[in-house]
Amino acid sequence: MEKSTSIRNYRDILIKFQSLLALVILCFVLAMMTDIFFTSSNMLNVMRQISVNICISVGMTLVILTGGIDLSVGSILALSGALTAGFLKFGLELPFFDTFIGFTIFGAVLIGILSGTALGTFNGLAITVFRVPPFVATLAMLTIARGFTMLYTKGFPISGLGQNYAFIGTGWLLGIPVPVWIALTVVAIAFFVTNKTRLGRYIYAIGGNESAAQLSGINIRKIKTIVYAIAGGLAALGGIIVTSRLDSAQPNAGASYELDAIAAVVIGGTSLSGGKGTIGGTVLGAIIIGVLNNGLVLLNVSPFWQQVIKGFVILLAIIIDKSNTRK
Amino acid sequence: MISNVKNFGLFLIFISTFILFHACKQKPRQRDTKKIAVVISTLNNPWFMVLAESAVKEAESLGHEAKIFDSQNSTALEADHFENAIVSGYDAILFNPTDSDGSISNIQQAKIAGIPVFCMDREVNAKGVATSQILSDSYSGCVAIGKHFVKSLDKKGRYVEIIGMVGDNNTWNRSSGFHSVVDNYPDLIMVAQQSGEFDRNKSMEVMESILQAQPDIDAVFCGNDPMAMGAYQALVAAGLEDKVKVFGFDGASEVITSIQDGKIQATGMQFPELMAKTAAAFADQYFRGEREFPEKTPVSVELVTEENVRFYIEN
């Protein structure tokens, strides 16, 4: 009797920290194979590279916790990045009033975030008011936002945004890259929201059992719309970082980023059916993907094999997750 | 009874479609303005936008109607575009194929329907299917870059190659053209070969990681210009931009400016406008009764370096 509970405790701990364990094993293997991996400059390099995916994945986690999905984040990232770059570089012309408005970096960034939030809100309203399934509604937004990006940029990148704007993506603060600070802030806020606020509890409640949540008086429409708006806003933030790092808004930026984000969330142990999962898990998932991407390049693995290996890692994560929930 | 009526109705619709379709095909059109479909592999890249828009512009200036179809890099979507173009009575297709082998059957469809197809930029591996192919010679272009690469590195050094999408034949045309020259010099050592997926951001991230493992390199060769810009940015972030020479391919305006500023070493200039114009002109000649076209018209790629960059600056 005594023994079986201790085994169960042991298993529980293993399940709880499975992503962490996977990460430790992965890092250990990579460190054995190449001595560059564990250098501080490479670690900072990995952190900087995953910061965009972390921003998107945090939003994706909230959406998936409610039992939804958001496929439009990559396109929203592209559109918000393009709008930010465009407003910064060209400003806004109002032909009716014969005036021209120039934008500061702060103003342009605000436009970018607001546009992403607005598109996310649109997703939320389509899902809650018009009852379009999240998969379909955000798939439609994926195309719509990409189309608007093409319209706005006419298919050409907007480049040459200036040294000050480049600080967001390439600058350093206290020895740590600025994008990492941004990602850390996002994670800290999301951690607080999911653990300490009413909004966080409602998100889990909706994902766990939507009708029970409704019966207990939660305004499901409102909460879901807020969640999709946040996901859109965070995708926009990612777009601003990408644009700043490249000193250029690329019309095809962010293509298939939604898949990386979903992979991070899933590897992090969040259930695709909602209600179960943590921000911390997602961060681990994003780090695992980032470490894997980095390690495969460090080892100069053939690009053909890289895709196969990444696919298997995701599959493995899901299999472990499933075998735990079945028990 | 009801189902009989229903069936009869369906039968009528079926038959009338056939009648309409045949009527459409057999009746020669009496107008001079022809409809031209411009089917482009992707519009997610400025280079292809230039190709598509130049084709439309040239077709319109020759007095025809033109419409762009975006295949979004999918051969299946391309097949749909061809079917639509055939059914809706287009007179010619200016075509930038998604795939050298996969696109052949689409061209075959058009040929059976009697619609001429003029390929632009990417070659299809079949003879006598397309009416004519106007091709950018990526291979020889990269041979030229390879020669310049060898010269500027003085035949020795460690370099990185960033290739495009691994499933794209342009990727391998460019890579093998480059290696056909560079591999003859045993002191030129390739320390890493990774895919940047033709994408600026992906190329930058890959380059950042490569620089962790191989900080001591002399040059980078990239399979297109957006990737060259991405690699350059990674070098700037690592403070290595003065030491490492960057080579691209495409002739994107941003890279031309960078060559002028001494940031990037060289690129291969392709001429999308020229290819598109030639294709549109061929289509126009076809409408006027011309049937003899060269199977392939190569449009050469020009090497752009610091010495001749002033000729390529856009005004």
Side-chain angles (χ1 to χ4, degrees), chain A residues 304-321:
Chain A
F304 296 111
W305 276 107
Q306 290 189 16
Q307 303 184 10
V308 177
I309 294 169
K310 275 183 239 167
F312 269 114
V313 169
I314 295 171
L315 202 58
L316 201 66
I318 302 273
I319 291 170
I320 295 170
D321 191 42

Side-chain angles (χ1 to χ4, degrees), chain A residues 4-203:
Chain A
S4 82
T5 42
S6 82
I7 286 173
R8 177 169 294 171
N9 282 339
Y10 175 70
R11 282 198 66 149
D12 281 350
I13 290 168
L14 202 65
I15 290 162
K16 203 167 176 190
F17 293 106
Q18 67 185 24
S19 343
L20 193 60
L21 197 68
L23 180 63
V24 169
I25 293 170
L26 190 64
C27 288
F28 183 73
V29 172
L30 284 170
M32 295 295 285
M33 292 171 82
T34 162
D35 47 0
I36 304 126
F37 178 74
F38 254 129
T39 57
S40 65
S41 73
N42 189 50
M43 287 292 113
L44 287 173
N45 176 41
V46 172
M47 295 310 291
R48 188 174 51 207
Q49 290 185 352
I50 62 173
S51 47
V52 171
N53 192 22
I54 285 191
C55 290
I56 300 174
S57 305
V58 163
M60 188 67 82
T61 310
L62 301 181
V63 168
I64 291 180
L65 279 176
T66 66
I69 193 103
D70 189 347
L71 302 178
S72 64
V73 285
S75 299
I76 291 180
L77 176 146
L79 182 55
S80 302
L83 286 173
T84 305
F87 275 80
L88 188 61
K89 194 165 184 202
F90 307 121
L92 180 69
E93 274 184 58
L94 297 171
F96 295 118
F97 304 101
D98 215 19
T99 46
F100 168 82
I101 307 172
F103 280 80
T104 60
I105 291 174
F106 185 75
V109 165
L110 198 66
I111 293 277
I113 305 264
L114 286 179
S115 65
T117 312
L119 293 171
T121 310
F122 189 88
N123 273 337
L125 292 177
I127 290 159
T128 54
V129 178
F130 297 101
R131 306 209 165 273
V132 183
F135 191 94
V136 181
T138 58
L139 186 65
M141 180 55 78
L142 177 150
T143 315
I144 294 168
R146 182 68 62 188
F148 273 121
T149 313
M150 291 295 160
L151 279 172
Y152 185 70
T153 62
K154 301 185 182 69
F156 292 92
I158 303 171
S159 304
L161 307 171
Q163 277 300 313
N164 293 329
Y165 182 67
F167 180 77
I168 300 171
T170 60
W172 293 74
L173 221 74
L174 307 175
I176 290 175
V178 174
V180 178
W181 283 116
I182 297 174
L184 281 174
T185 313
V186 168
V187 168
I189 294 172
F191 193 80
F192 177 77
V193 168
T194 48
N195 287 306
K196 303 281 177 207
T197 64
R198 199 183 287 167
L199 175 65
R201 285 195 297 278
Y202 288 173
I203 289 171

Side-chain angles (χ1 to χ4, degrees), chain A residues 36 39 41-42 45 48-49 146 150 154-157 159-160 242 245-248 250-253 257 293-294 296-298 300-304 306-307 310, chain B residues 43-47 49-50 53 163 166-167 172 190-195 197-202 204-206 208-210 212-214 226 230 233 237 254:
Chain A
I36 304 126
T39 57
S41 73
N42 189 50
N45 176 41
R48 188 174 51 207
Q49 290 185 352
R146 182 68 62 188
M150 291 295 160
K154 301 185 182 69
F156 292 92
S159 304
V242 170
R245 287 197 70 194
L246 290 172
D247 188 28
S248 168
Q250 302 278 309
N252 58 347
Y257 275 27
N293 276 333
N294 171 258
L296 294 173
V297 173
L298 286 186
N300 202 18
V301 174
S302 136
F304 296 111
Q306 290 189 16
Q307 303 184 10
K310 275 183 239 167
Chain B
L43 292 180
N44 262 355
N45 179 327
W47 194 90
M49 285 296 297
V50 172
E53 284 178 351
I163 57 175
V166 290
W172 301 111
M190 183 168 75
V191 293
Q193 183 186 43
Q194 288 293 327
S195 170
E197 294 171 13
F198 285 137
D199 178 83
R200 186 168 174 153
N201 187 37
K202 177 79 186 169
M204 178 181 65
E205 291 190 349
V206 163
E208 283 171 346
S209 294
I210 291 173
Q212 296 294 328
Q214 306 285 354
Q233 259 141 353
E254 202 176 348

Side-chain angles (χ1 to χ4, degrees), chain B residues 5 12 24 26 28 45 58 76 93 114 119-120 128 136 138 149 180 186 195 246 260 264 268 275 291 295 299 311-312:
Chain B
V5 172
L12 264 187
C24 231
Q26 281 169 357
N45 179 327
E58 185 67 13
I93 298 175
C119 291
M120 304 181 288
S136 187
S138 285
F149 184 88
S180 74
S195 170
V246 183
Q260 198 185 23
I264 286 184
M275 280 188 269
R291 286 295 178 272
E295 173 88 29
V299 174
F311 299 120
Y312 297 91

Side-chain angles (χ1 to χ4, degrees), chain B residues 141-155:
Chain B
C142 284
V143 168
I145 288 189
K147 285 178 181 161
H148 185 72
F149 184 88
V150 171
K151 204 173 80 186
S152 27
L153 288 184
D154 208 12
K155 297 177 192 170

